Amino acid sequence: QVHVVESGGGLVQAGGSLRLSCAASGLTFSTYVMGWFRQAPGKEREFVAAISVSVGRTDYADSVKGRFTISRDNAKNTVYLQMNSLKPEDTSLYYCAAKPATSGDYYRLTYEYRYWGQGTRVTVSS
């Protein structure tokens, strides 16, 4: 059985930083592209960042580029999202997801991600 568990969310002031972690089990982690998505109340889930299986390629939404960094440790079956210079508009529920690497090279489609966590909440105060 596959488990994807996010952690690290919380309340932070604007300009601050948080580091999200996502631990996956029950799957061959090194064969999955890992992504982060977020969903604010009343809005659709949106792509944030993703990383390829071999850490050779990353993709970021324009809204977070230059502020967020995604990384992964295949030995620990864990993916991270370092979030710096946080803004109130980053407030959201952040989800981690796993997509088979064989499903294509475009990382932003939610329906291509097979496994999802329950989310971790990030609140940025102004």
Side-chain angles (χ1 to χ4, degrees):
Q1 190 172 1
V2 176
H3 293 281
V4 177
V5 181
E6 305 94 336
S7 62
L11 173 64
V12 63
Q13 288 189 330
S17 297
L18 281 175
R19 188 195 195 203
L20 305 184
S21 298
C22 169
S25 60
L27 74 169
T28 306
F29 185 77
S30 60
T31 66
Y32 283 81
V33 171
M34 298 301 296
W36 287 96
F37 293 78
R38 66 187 182 186
Q39 188 168 18
K43 294 188 177 182
E44 292 191 357
R45 192 169 299 188
E46 64 175 358
F47 170 79
V48 175
I51 187 166
S52 63
V53 298
S54 62
V55 198
R57 176 188 165 198
T58 56
D59 188 21
Y60 296 93
D62 288 344
S63 59
V64 307
K65 199 171 294 182
R67 300 188 298 122
F68 291 10
T69 302
I70 188 170
S71 61
R72 66 189 291 164
D73 185 339
N74 286 343
K76 296 182 178 180
N77 283 16
T78 301
V79 62
Y80 305 97
L81 186 68
Q82 178 66 43
M83 306 186 296
N84 299 329
S85 302
L86 282 162
K87 305 175 181 180
E89 51 263 45
D90 294 318
T91 294
S92 198
L93 188 61
Y94 282 74
Y95 295 92
C96 175
K99 165 182 136 72
T102 54
S103 63
D105 293 333
Y106 190 66
Y107 294 169
R108 302 190 178 198
L109 301 175
T110 56
Y111 63 80
E112 288 193 342
Y113 285 79
R114 183 175 296 176
Y115 303 111
W116 292 81
Q118 294 299 306
T120 185
R121 188 165 300 280
V122 172
T123 303
V124 184
S125 63
S126 57

